[in-house]
Amino acid sequence: MFARGARWLAGASAVICLVLVGPGAPADAPPAGPPPVGAARDVVPNRVMTWNICNPCGESGADRAAEIAAFAPQVVGLQEACVRDVDRIRDRLKSRYGLVYHVEYGTVLRSWGRCGGLPWKPGGFGEAILSAAPMTDRVSAEYPDGGSEDRGYLSVTTEVAGRPVRVFNTHLAERRQEAVRAEQAGVLAAKVAPYRRAIVLGDFNAQPDAAELAPLWALAADADPGCRPSGDGACAPTTDWQSTFDYVFLRGVAPLAHGVKPSAYSDHHLLHADLDVT
């Protein structure tokens, strides 16, 4: 009788402990919570994305990684990007979502105010490209005139849909600096022109019918076939203030699908496109 009572007491204690503490879990268990809707363990090989991730700056790398993982693009162009923020995003994409990216940086500023860091070692700020395939022939250059803030472009050769393609990522001068943007667009167009197959990602700070974008429209079309420089209003807004400033320009590459997703973590939307690279 005593032994049976002891066994009952031990069993009851175990149940109580399980309720209070919860079942055990391995030390390397994945973080709690489901992945974002549409997240994938493999990239979509013909998908590219562009996103200006600053303003508000200093948002969580985990949140930004979740936004990117929901689409799992082969190539991502980021603007207004601090190196340390991109490193956190990249690490999170790998550890949480199994998405592995190479990275190249096009730093135009060493900014303690923008990116933190020690006063004698401020963080790098500018463009970044994430690619699931290795990147070669990196070129990072500042425009001769950045306007109110240094601006530049970053270009690499990588793979999209299993084919080699030249990818450019840029950020043109701020609004109300049309003459500066016109000069920058001319510089960029001259670098794009030699390539039969190129993708130009970025924040151009100009509406589709802006005169300064004419050199790029002469070389390439937007991933949205309805978005043209005629100003007919068919271009989807890519910012919180309903302007179309972000583009995926295509040269020698055909669009298949595209989309724009507003984000709580930037005043620019995520612009993504699926492409036919032949």
Side-chain angles (χ1 to χ4, degrees), residues 54-265:
C54 194
N55 199 15
C57 304
E59 289 293 316
S60 164
D63 291 330
R64 287 170 170 163
E67 295 279 69
I68 294 170
F71 298 96
Q74 171 81 7
V75 171
V76 186
L78 301 175
Q79 303 89 42
E80 292 202 71
C82 293
V83 168
R84 68 191 63 202
D85 290 342
V86 176
D87 286 344
R88 291 181 185 124
I89 292 169
R90 182 175 172 233
D91 290 346
R92 183 70 171 182
L93 285 166
K94 180 179 179 180
S95 64
R96 180 66 177 88
Y97 305 103
L99 298 171
V100 179
Y101 289 100
H102 303 267
V103 64
E104 292 288 356
Y105 292 102
T107 295
V108 294
L109 290 173
R110 296 288 177 182
S111 175
W112 183 86
R114 287 269 194 167
C115 299
L118 301 173
W120 58 90
K121 191 179 180 181
F125 177 81
E127 284 73 59
I129 295 176
L130 301 178
S131 175
M135 292 175 275
T136 61
D137 303 320
R138 171 188 172 274
V139 173
S140 176
E142 292 188 34
Y143 293 118
D145 183 358
S148 56
E149 180 179 86
D150 292 349
R151 295 289 163 90
Y153 70 87
L154 170 66
S155 67
V156 300
T157 296
T158 189
E159 288 186 3
V160 176
R163 302 296 298 273
V165 63
R166 192 68 178 174
V167 176
F168 293 80
N169 181 24
T170 193
H171 187 195
L172 300 191
E174 294 177 349
R175 289 177 287 175
R176 295 180 294 278
Q177 299 180 50
E178 292 85 354
V180 176
R181 284 197 303 275
E183 180 182 351
Q184 294 171 347
V187 170
L188 181 62
K191 300 299 181 181
V192 174
Y195 292 94
R196 182 179 68 85
R197 185 189 293 126
I199 300 169
V200 187
L201 310 169
D203 173 5
F204 291 80
N205 271 316
Q207 292 281 90
D209 59 349
E212 59 264 33
L213 295 187
L216 291 162
W217 285 116
L219 292 173
D222 189 58
D224 177 359
C227 187
R228 299 181 297 273
S230 58
D232 58 9
C235 304
T238 64
T239 67
D240 286 353
W241 56 93
Q242 298 301 302
S243 293
T244 302
F245 280 0
D246 306 86
Y247 302 87
V248 175
F249 283 115
L250 305 175
R251 177 172 171 82
V253 177
L256 295 176
H258 69 279
V260 176
K261 180 187 180 295
S263 171
Y265 309 110

